Structure formats: C-alpha cells, structure tokens
Amino acid sequence: MWDGRLVRLEISLDITDLKQTQNELEAQKNLFQNVLDELPSPFVLKDYEGKFVLTNKAVANLYGVDDPSSMIGKDDGDYIQDKQQAAFFKQNIREI
C-alpha cells in the first residue's frame, strides 16, 4: 500500500547506439511499460513543467484513470480537485 512518501529516482541512459529499428524501440517501450504497470507503487516521470511523461497503472488508479497513457502531457492539477494539494505537487517538481 502506498504510504504517500515521494521517492526521487534518477535514470541515466546511454543513447549513443541509435541504430535500432522502430519496431525494436516500440517493443522495448512496451516491455518497460508492462514492467512499470506491475509495480504496486505509483511511478511517474515528469518533465520540468510537472507534466506527466510516463505513468504506471498505480498512478492511474489513484487518479481514477483507466489508461495511464492518457495522462501524458497533463499534470496533477488536471486530476486533483484540491488546488492546494495540486500546488504542492507542482512546487515539489520545481524543487526537484
């Protein structure tokens, strides 16, 4: 069960070998998304403006969304009615 604590995760990727085909990249993306969706804890990746770049099913469930991919490009304010709580998440991403 998610206890509400935020965890910061930094991932560094080596993208020097860009010779993969589009199908290989899509297969890797799908595999990564499937792994994330099996995590019991919410996982989000946001851009510098606080917009969702990647989410998993646990996050979608928290916000009452069926498809995690539909959250891409949106932010917490699109789902949280409490403006003070939404502002907290936006401030948190700015601090990170």
Side-chain angles (χ1 to χ4, degrees):
M1 185 74 172
W2 185 53
D3 63 7
R5 292 184 287 174
L6 296 175
V7 176
R8 181 178 174 182
L9 173 67
E10 293 185 27
I11 299 173
S12 177
L13 301 173
D14 181 3
I15 58 171
T16 55
D17 183 10
L18 298 177
K19 295 179 181 177
Q20 295 175 307
T21 67
Q22 191 64 30
N23 289 339
E24 289 172 326
L25 292 173
E26 190 64 30
Q28 288 179 0
K29 177 184 169 193
N30 290 337
L31 175 63
F32 187 61
Q33 184 66 52
N34 289 335
V35 169
L36 289 179
D37 284 340
E38 292 301 317
L39 294 174
S41 299
F43 178 90
V44 297
L45 180 61
K46 296 180 180 180
D47 65 15
Y48 288 108
E49 295 176 358
K51 304 284 185 187
F52 296 115
V53 174
L54 183 65
T55 65
N56 69 354
K57 285 183 181 180
V59 173
N61 290 338
L62 282 175
Y63 288 121
V65 176
D66 292 328
D67 180 13
S69 67
S70 70
M71 300 177 74
I72 306 308
K74 298 178 181 176
D75 64 28
D76 296 291
D78 292 309
Y79 301 100
I80 299 174
Q81 299 301 317
D82 181 338
K83 297 304 175 193
Q84 186 176 5
Q85 188 179 17
F88 166 79
F89 282 111
K90 284 187 179 193
Q91 181 60 35
N92 181 270
I93 197 67
R94 286 186 194 115
E95 290 174 5
I96 291 175

